[in-house]
Amino acid sequence: MSLSEDLKRLNDQQSAIIKKFGKSSLIIAGPGTGKTRTISVLIGDLLHKNVRLKEILALTFSDKAALELRSRVLEYYPHSFDQCWISTFHSFCARILREQYHLVQIKPDFKLLTGFKEALLMNGICRRQQPEAFAEFGKVLHRRGFQQEVLTFISLLKSNLVSPDEFAKVLESCVELTPRARARMRELLALFRLYENERDNTGYLDFRDLISLSIRVLQNQQTAELYRKKFRVILVDEFQDTDPAQFLLLSLLKGDDDSVKTAVIGDPRQSIYRFRGADPGMMTPKGPFKQKYQAKVFPLALNYRSAKSIVTAAAKLHWREKSDTDSLLEARSEEPGFVKVYKVRDELEEARLIARKIASLLIYGENRLYKPSDLAILVRNNYQIDLIAECLQALHIPFAIAGDMKFFRSEEVIALASLLKVASTSGSKQCEALQRAFASPVFGIKPLWVQAVFALLTPAFTIKTFFERLTGNQLEELPETDPETMVKAASFAETVQILENCGEEPLTVVFARLLLVVSSLLKDPSSESARNVLHFRGMISDYCELFQAQHARLPKVCDLMPEFDEWLTYYASTLEQNSETRSEGVKIMTVHQSKGLEFPVVFICGLCEGQFPVNLRENLLTSTSSLEAMRQAFNREGRAVNFFNPYPIS
């Protein structure tokens, strides 16, 4: 659709933003109010008014949102050869640092720590420490849950631009801390220093470093002026999810020059990253953006997505965050819609109820109005997914779990993982892994023949004995089958021979052999099977890269296998929002994954007090009062940003 057509389709509230766009604008965009289209048209209108594409900086919080916005804008001007600065905050900062690396003494080819690599890094640090040296945390030092809490705590500090040295200084000056709280903080400080030293020595930056180093770049007046002249317009989407460091970055980009037009867009009620240190108060009438820049407020309050009954029900909820569009959101959809609330005893009864209701909508619904892909189920955690999936399966309802968070349960990954265990174990464990791999449909061996083989197994005639006879062409006592199946089984047996006793070999070499075994699965890279294998390869690659950086050698298979299942599950959890499910079944997804999507019917489970919406629990590493005392001590120092503590005060 052309820009002129889209301009005509805007409502009065959306048109006002385009016509009155000036020095600073605060756009409070309620759900379903056409926010993305309005931003796209605003950029298109600016281009029409001779602002160059390379003079517009548009920042958002996800690759998906950046791609959608970029695609819409380039539809208006497909032949533009200008640089495009529509990206995520972190991609923008990485771009700045690769241009201005010399100002902050880093290498231009720096490497980034993903969430998975951060976990590996912290695990390596904690494994090298003596528990006796940590009186408070020594007993849990090697536990993954504790290590993740430490990483979350470090992330909070770095999002507030706190360095280890500043943390140490404030810790000593904070007289309100109890002796035990001070001891805990000192141990956290020690782990913070170890993390920063290890990250620096291995040549990595984490995502918080991208922001803080970019701030240092822009604190150079000459460089800041360069970028202010470069960007005549700055737009920030999902502004409710910014943290103090990101707001400072925006302030340095804009400066005090009103010639840089700036608009921030979002809704305090749609903040989903408070647990990472995001401050939805940034968007409120008393928030820093409106106060600092005297921003003009534009509400978008006409909801085109939801039925009136749904908008009305949402308005009646008790919202923690206040919004300029309170009580203004108006439903414009003509769909009748419905809101139904069910009370159940527990999660199992809830899952069964959801499955039955979905079955009635699909089978008994009036004229079968819905197909499975019209329905979505929103969950908070993996436990809920497992129960719901089991109940849907029992009623033969097709479903798909959004993203790739369950890729580790796919048949391809289970088969490859079993073969890795064959390479690094012995005895009964090796036989178990062999049987699991041999039974996998990935290798195309007839399942009935496989079961016939398993029926022959005894303590004296193990699966290894079977493979030895197969490779030795001793087929007399083996179950009969067709030549094609026998060839596949013999090929599998040869693979096992190659993999046995490879525990001391480099992991990269052994995994390369495994990929050759399943190379047929990679013929169509867009297939789900290929995606599962490639994700597994990504995990192995990340593990090898980080291990080599920490230990100055390639990892062996035996280095990974003791914690293999745990790392595989954790890696899968980091992929939660990396891709969309392409399936015609009922969609099961987390609340975060559902942001920006639309479905005719949505089931929300786990609506229990304190769980949905979740109450941010107290920090597990230190008491609420200690963290609040530290926050006040930080803010007495006259810092560039006020320390924001997302945890509840009481």
Side-chain angles (χ1 to χ4, degrees), residues 111 204 502-512 539-561:
K111 299 174 291 185
Y204 284 97
C502 286
E504 294 296 319
E505 289 196 31
L507 177 58
T508 49
V509 174
V510 175
F511 194 74
M539 175 218 159
I540 298 295
S541 175
D542 284 357
Y543 178 87
C544 293
E545 178 190 309
L546 205 288
F547 187 97
Q548 188 171 14
Q550 283 190 299
H551 300 88
R553 69 172 176 85
L554 284 171
K556 300 173 183 177
V557 177
C558 59
D559 292 316
L560 171 64
M561 296 317 293

Side-chain angles (χ1 to χ4, degrees), residues 391-404:
C391 292
L392 292 177
Q393 266 179 331
L395 296 180
H396 305 287
I397 297 170
F399 67 91
I401 299 169
D404 292 304

Side-chain angles (χ1 to χ4, degrees), residues 103-360:
L103 294 177
V104 287
Q105 290 82 50
I106 61 172
K107 295 180 180 179
D109 57 346
F110 57 82
K111 299 174 291 185
L112 269 177
L113 280 175
T114 60
F116 179 64
K117 290 178 185 176
E118 278 186 3
L120 290 170
L121 189 81
M122 180 56 73
N123 181 62
I125 291 169
C126 291
R127 290 285 176 190
R128 294 197 300 272
Q129 308 310 308
Q130 294 299 321
E132 298 77 22
F134 291 80
E136 292 293 326
F137 297 122
K139 292 182 179 179
V140 294
L141 194 62
H142 296 166
R143 293 184 183 175
R144 192 83 66 247
F146 168 75
Q147 294 166 12
Q148 285 305 120
E149 289 292 335
V150 172
L151 285 171
T152 300
F153 188 76
I154 290 173
S155 175
L156 174 64
L157 294 174
K158 296 183 75 169
S159 293
N160 283 282
L161 300 181
V162 176
S163 67
D165 288 342
E166 185 185 8
F167 187 23
K169 178 183 175 184
V170 170
L171 177 57
E172 294 309 312
S173 66
C174 187
V175 297
E176 296 89 347
L177 293 177
T178 64
R180 188 178 183 199
R182 191 177 301 279
R184 286 190 157 222
M185 288 289 187
R186 281 175 176 157
E187 290 186 13
L188 291 173
L189 170 61
L191 290 171
F192 187 14
R193 286 195 189 280
L194 288 167
Y195 171 84
E196 287 293 272
N197 290 337
E198 187 93 351
R199 178 194 55 72
D200 194 45
N201 292 337
T202 52
Y204 284 97
L205 300 179
D206 63 29
F207 286 106
R208 275 75 57 192
D209 293 321
L210 294 180
I211 303 292
S212 60
L213 290 175
S214 296
I215 287 171
R216 281 175 54 191
V217 166
L218 294 172
Q219 285 171 335
N220 178 298
Q221 283 292 356
Q222 188 176 359
T223 309
E225 197 59 38
L226 173 72
Y227 284 100
R228 285 175 199 144
K229 289 179 179 178
K230 184 181 188 71
F231 300 122
R232 294 170 56 188
V233 177
I234 300 174
L235 306 172
V236 182
D237 191 14
E238 307 290 3
F239 190 66
Q240 75 277 355
D241 287 324
T242 51
D243 59 37
Q246 288 164 332
F247 180 71
L248 177 59
L249 178 70
L250 173 64
S251 302
L252 291 170
L253 277 169
K254 179 175 173 58
D256 298 322
D257 188 354
D258 286 338
S259 64
V260 180
K261 295 182 178 180
T262 308
V264 298
I265 308 98
D267 180 2
R269 291 182 174 178
Q270 295 187 59
S271 178
I272 60 174
Y273 291 118
R274 189 183 182 96
F275 69 97
R276 292 183 184 172
D279 181 5
M282 294 278 185
M283 289 213 69
T284 60
K286 296 181 181 179
F289 183 81
K290 186 179 180 185
Q291 296 297 312
K292 182 170 184 175
Y293 298 111
Q294 301 301 303
K296 183 175 178 60
V297 177
F298 294 93
L300 289 180
L302 301 181
N303 182 299
Y304 295 95
R305 178 184 298 160
S306 305
K308 185 176 181 180
S309 57
I310 296 172
V311 173
T312 303
K316 290 179 180 178
L317 297 174
H318 178 69
W319 292 92
R320 178 170 57 188
E321 302 297 343
K322 300 301 179 184
S323 168
D324 275 21
T325 58
D326 279 357
S327 305
L328 296 179
L329 201 62
E330 179 183 337
R332 288 299 179 94
S333 171
E334 296 180 0
E335 294 291 328
F338 59 87
V339 177
K340 295 183 180 180
V341 181
Y342 298 94
K343 185 177 181 179
V344 293
R345 287 192 306 269
D346 52 35
E347 290 93 339
L348 179 57
E349 185 179 344
E350 177 184 57
R352 288 171 175 167
L353 174 70
I354 289 172
R356 289 198 304 271
K357 292 295 178 184
I358 288 176
S360 68

Side-chain angles (χ1 to χ4, degrees), residues 38 41 45 75 85 155 235 250 253 346 353 439 590 613-614 620:
T38 304
V41 174
D45 186 64
E75 280 181 13
W85 289 82
S155 175
L235 306 172
L250 173 64
L253 277 169
D346 52 35
L353 174 70
T590 63
V614 64
L620 297 180

Side-chain angles (χ1 to χ4, degrees), residues 427-428 431 435 453-466:
S428 61
C431 287
Q435 286 183 234
V453 171
F454 288 170
L456 295 176
L457 301 182
T458 66
F461 186 80
T462 66
I463 189 73
K464 289 184 68 175
T465 311
F466 164 76

